[in-house]
Amino acid sequence: MASVKDLKDLSPQELDEFRNDMRHSAAHVLAEAVLKLHPEAKLTIGPTIEVGFYYDFDVDEPFTPDDLKAIEKEMRRSINRNSKFVEREVTREEAREQVLDNPYKVEILDGIPEGTRVTFCSHSDGAFEDLCRGGHVEQTVDIKAFKLLSTAGAYWRGDENNKMLQRVYGTAWESKEAQADYLHRIEEAERRDHRKLGRELGLFFFDPIAPASPFFLPKGAFVVNELTAFVRDLYKRYDYKEVITPQIFNTDLWRKSGHYDNYADNMFFINIDETEYGVKPMNCPAAAMLYGSETHSYRELPLRYADFGRLHRYERSGVTHGLTRVRSLTQDDAHIFSTMDQIGSEIRGFLDMLRDSYEVFGFDNPRFTLSLRPEKRVGIDDMWDRAESALEEILADSGFEYETVSGEGAFYGPKIDIFVPDALKREWQLGTVQLDFSLPERFNLEYAAEDGARHKVVVIHRAMLGSIERFLGVLIEHLGGAFPLWLAPLQAVIVPIADRHVAYAHDVKEILEKHGLRVEVNDSSDRMNAKIRAAQLQKVPYMLVVGDREAEENAVAVRTRTGGNLGAVSITEVVESLVKETEQKSLEPLLSATDD
RNA sequence: GCCCCGGUGGCGCAGUGGCUAGCGCAACCGAUUUGUAAUCGGUAGGUCGAGGGUUCAAAUCCCUCCCGGGGCUCCA
């Protein structure tokens, strides 16, 4: 049990442990305060989380913001009274006797093996006691800083068939400063929220007329197209062939693919001419149609079909979120048709491509998971054995950190998922690569082998950026909306100081545009300060100020959005540098204050 | 889908039963011609999310629905 006095000497692990103990203790104090103010409340569980703690209560009336304030006040009172945390060990059966009036605690105890000893923890000199797994600070004043953040509904044991409880979230830290830092980080994350930035930067918006489906304005569409072009470029190098497939299919296809039985709740259906059609939520069946439309030889394999088709998924109303969870989306989707022996090299090739591309965006720490066979699945175990060990081996060789999760694979095959965190530290799945043993069976997808015999192909589904929409959302937060030059819809704003410089400004614009650069002149009647500010708020990478001096020497005064004023630079040099920075897809400006 | 909170000009917000519903930014018009984050003045713009109800009177109270937010659940 760590003591606060020697906080400064704690190792990172010890500090983690101390925070954990403190947050757990704070949860106890929270429970005490709630019981005091709402005696009818039933306690359930109160674990710690990465940045704090929560406690779930069964109460008749949900907590209001005022309740939250009152509870927080009561907690402070209890902490300031300062009492020791005391643990008491009893048998499971004794504990059960004590909590008989609380069905939740009884359920918890009944889940523990008979004869196990359990602990109660108390503070406030025994006035409050709760069943507990242990791990506390010594006394209540060791909870140095805490704050209740929010309330939310949450199902008992996370099961939506169970009763909904009221959850109170809080954060707690070893010092006021550490807490202030954390709260500041939250604010910063809110500033980077892609939904807010999407609006402010004129990238996209949402309208109730098409729930959870983004409208991309010209600037947003530019970035989306640029991302797509980036992927297409990689496809050339990695020998993918792009295909185009329909949007709406007769339901017969969805029955054949299995989507009708397994995914219909997430699909949009249309009835025309007494026939039912489904809007595609995935490209796979269409890819299978393409493959099946011709006979194939082993010589053609692997065959890689890329499809940027627009998908529609009916996501339940409570789960949509900005661009990261939408109902209308596009994936950088491809299906690879290969032999069993080619799986290894195909996935290796995909991971190479993925590594190269994530680096371009500055995603240096993607997290990988390998999901293995679930209970309910198709295919014989021998096939799963081979596929799983192939994936495992590739990941082990790749140098990426990864973890294995059993039972999480798709029913049709094992998969690797790639996750990246957004500004609020929520992780989002971007890329995925999945083996599919089911599609070839259902659509009878075969190839003629060397000996003339027919074999089933293996299908590999893979997406690198995942949903382009989601990728853009995560990217906006990652970059705080400041796109690197190659992705910036507007690369530079030319700022004439007075009207007499406007003509020269347009000359400069023409030269830059001839070199493929995206430039605008701000010839409004605003003062230059206001023009700088406007460009700055739009996160335009470069501001090129032109006045008498610049016009005279065929130059522009360069300012970067990071605030650096580089003074006069010749137009030739600016063109050269910006073109180079664009071509290199550089994350940092090449023209920077430290140059010359 | 479930719990709570919310929806007022393009955007951000104020207004909690009582005259023609306000403010800031943006937009538009005019003046200003300025050296690195906001020049000044004026104009226009709103069936207060939708429908129903209560009331002499509803942005404001009640009901239903839609949409958004924080969570939960889900995520082939």
Side-chain angles (χ1 to χ4, degrees):
Chain A
M1 204 180 278
S3 159
V4 179
K5 297 180 190 75
D6 41 41
L7 258 185
K8 288 192 186 72
D9 309 325
L10 294 183
S11 69
Q13 291 90 332
E14 285 169 327
L15 180 62
D16 268 358
E17 200 177 305
F18 175 75
R19 282 177 176 170
N20 205 48
D21 288 352
M22 185 183 56
R23 287 163 184 168
H24 190 197
S25 308
H28 278 281
V29 178
L30 167 61
E32 178 196 26
V34 167
L35 272 191
K36 191 156 186 181
L37 297 169
H38 306 264
E40 79 294 349
K42 286 200 169 28
L43 306 183
T44 69
I45 54 164
T48 60
I49 51 178
E50 210 181 317
V51 291
F53 57 95
Y54 68 81
Y55 209 111
D56 285 346
F57 302 95
D58 181 0
V59 283
D60 298 334
E61 292 287 315
F63 299 121
T64 64
D66 282 343
D67 288 335
L68 210 60
K69 271 183 214 148
I71 293 167
E72 192 175 293
K73 205 168 167 190
E74 185 55 41
M75 286 175 72
R76 278 189 212 295
R77 240 179 257 150
S78 171
I79 287 174
N80 290 337
R81 275 197 302 270
N82 197 22
S83 59
K84 292 216 179 310
F85 285 95
V86 182
E87 290 183 8
R88 172 168 74 89
E89 209 176 77
V90 297
T91 65
R92 190 196 74 152
E93 288 66 28
E94 285 166 330
R96 201 174 183 285
E97 281 304 307
Q98 272 203 35
V99 299
L100 270 182
D101 59 335
N102 182 326
Y104 301 101
K105 298 288 181 190
V106 170
E107 194 179 321
I108 293 168
L109 287 173
D110 286 347
I112 296 174
E114 221 171 302
T116 316
R117 295 188 70 80
V118 297
T119 50
F120 277 100
C121 174
S122 68
H123 65 278
S124 288
D125 303 321
F128 176 84
E129 187 174 60
D130 193 7
L131 196 60
C132 156
R133 196 166 279 172
H136 303 93
V137 286
E138 276 175 29
Q139 46 185 1
T140 54
V141 289
D142 290 344
I143 302 166
K144 285 297 174 189
F146 83 96
K147 187 175 165 62
L148 296 186
L149 297 176
S150 59
T151 60
Y155 299 104
W156 167 239
R157 303 232 140 149
D159 184 337
E160 64 179 320
N161 296 314
N162 286 341
K163 180 160 188 189
M164 180 156 279
L165 308 170
Q166 291 303 314
R167 177 170 297 179
V168 176
Y169 280 100
T171 189
W173 297 87
E174 68 279 4
S175 67
K176 295 250 187 294
E177 294 72 38
Q179 174 156 302
D181 273 359
Y182 168 69
L183 295 175
H184 186 259
R185 276 211 307 283
I186 295 183
E187 275 173 35
E188 175 58 27
E190 279 167 7
R191 265 195 289 281
R192 282 171 171 244
D193 190 319
H194 75 274
R195 294 165 301 184
K196 191 167 174 285
L197 286 171
R199 225 325 142 198
E200 288 171 3
L201 302 181
L203 299 171
F204 57 84
F205 66 92
F206 290 88
D207 189 280
I209 209 71
S213 307
F215 288 72
F216 284 101
L217 292 155
K219 284 179 180 172
F222 174 87
V223 182
V224 167
N225 286 333
E226 205 61 12
L227 290 172
T228 310
F230 173 76
V231 174
R232 281 205 170 98
D233 202 43
L234 286 168
Y235 283 170
K236 269 181 234 155
R237 271 200 269 149
Y238 285 84
D239 196 25
Y240 283 65
K241 305 285 181 231
E242 188 171 338
V243 297
I244 298 173
T245 56
Q247 196 83 53
I248 297 167
F249 298 84
N250 188 303
T251 300
D252 291 346
L253 181 79
W254 305 116
R255 289 187 201 281
K256 193 171 177 182
S257 69
H259 286 87
Y260 205 82
D261 293 328
N262 294 296
Y263 202 63
D265 285 351
N266 285 300
M267 287 177 64
F268 290 97
F269 290 99
I270 308 169
N271 280 291
I272 304 275
D273 294 341
E274 289 169 43
T275 307
E276 188 181 42
Y277 293 87
V279 182
K280 70 175 169 188
M282 290 167 214
N283 293 309
C284 324
M289 294 290 299
L290 286 177
Y291 184 87
S293 70
E294 298 170 299
T295 57
H296 296 278
S297 144
Y298 73 95
R299 294 170 193 273
E300 298 170 55
L301 304 183
L303 205 51
R304 309 182 188 92
Y305 285 160
D307 191 339
F308 289 99
R310 177 157 289 275
L311 309 177
H312 289 83
R313 299 180 181 176
Y314 180 75
E315 300 287 358
R316 295 162 86 191
S317 64
V319 307
T320 59
H321 178 88
L323 287 182
T324 47
R325 190 84 177 264
V326 293
R327 287 184 178 156
S328 173
L329 64 139
T330 312
Q331 295 180 319
D332 60 331
D333 195 12
H335 293 84
I336 302 173
F337 300 89
S338 77
T339 68
M340 202 68 185
D341 295 335
Q342 291 166 337
I343 291 176
S345 59
E346 283 311 301
I347 292 180
R348 228 178 289 275
F350 171 66
L351 290 182
D352 285 345
M353 179 159 79
L354 186 123
R355 186 199 312 264
D356 291 349
S357 56
Y358 279 27
E359 269 174 15
V360 168
F361 300 100
F363 289 128
D364 297 329
N365 295 305
R367 188 173 68 87
F368 288 69
T369 61
L370 170 61
S371 301
L372 305 178
R373 69 192 79 184
E375 292 276 316
K376 210 182 120 190
R377 59 179 182 268
V378 301
I380 55 171
D381 283 352
D382 177 55
M383 213 150 67
W384 280 89
D385 289 341
R386 290 169 64 188
E388 286 176 356
S389 56
L391 292 184
E392 177 103 52
E393 199 181 306
I394 292 162
L395 273 179
D397 285 354
S398 71
F400 288 122
E401 299 253 332
Y402 71 98
E403 69 178 304
T404 305
V405 281
S406 41
E408 287 295 306
F411 77 89
Y412 50 72
K415 61 174 182 173
I416 296 170
D417 290 323
I418 302 98
F419 297 84
V420 162
D422 70 9
L424 293 161
K425 300 229 161 137
R426 284 177 297 221
E427 274 195 330
W428 291 98
Q429 185 199 324
L430 297 180
T432 185
V433 49
Q434 314 184 348
L435 296 183
D436 192 334
F437 307 132
S438 165
L439 204 64
E441 289 293 334
R442 286 173 181 268
F443 285 83
N444 196 31
L445 306 178
E446 301 181 322
Y447 65 93
E450 229 171 331
D451 58 3
R454 298 195 155 267
H455 294 285
K456 289 278 184 295
V457 290
V458 175
V459 171
I460 304 170
H461 310 267
R462 36 69 57 218
M464 193 168 59
L465 309 186
S467 141
I468 307 280
E469 286 77 4
R470 171 181 295 180
F471 187 83
L472 177 57
V474 174
L475 186 64
I476 288 170
E477 303 200 352
H478 181 64
L479 300 168
F483 293 113
L485 197 63
W486 72 279
L487 268 181
L490 182 59
Q491 296 178 306
V493 171
I494 302 171
V495 178
I497 288 177
D499 278 353
R500 63 177 181 281
H501 308 121
V502 168
Y504 175 65
H506 281 282
D507 291 347
V508 174
K509 172 178 146 124
E510 212 170 293
I511 296 169
L512 296 191
E513 281 183 337
K514 249 184 218 150
H515 290 86
L517 295 166
R518 302 179 289 277
V519 191
E520 271 175 19
V521 175
N522 185 344
D523 54 7
S524 74
S525 62
D526 280 336
R527 291 171 48 188
M528 77 161 301
N529 284 327
K531 295 179 185 179
I532 297 270
R533 178 180 145 86
Q536 198 76 50
L537 289 175
Q538 285 296 303
K539 307 197 191 280
V540 180
Y542 290 102
M543 283 144 268
L544 310 176
V545 177
V546 296
D548 292 334
R549 296 203 290 272
E550 289 75 17
E552 224 164 274
E553 357 171 327
N554 274 322
V556 294
V558 177
R559 177 191 163 111
T560 64
R561 64 184 159 197
T562 46
N565 179 2
L566 316 188
V569 182
S570 76
I571 295 177
T572 332
E573 203 180 319
V574 168
V575 167
E576 204 174 293
S577 178
L578 296 203
V579 167
K580 192 168 156 202
E581 187 179 334
T582 307
E583 278 169 1
Q584 291 180 346
K585 297 188 166 42
S586 170
L587 280 169
E588 298 301 326
L590 293 186
L591 274 178
S592 73
T594 50
D595 282 355
D596 48 75

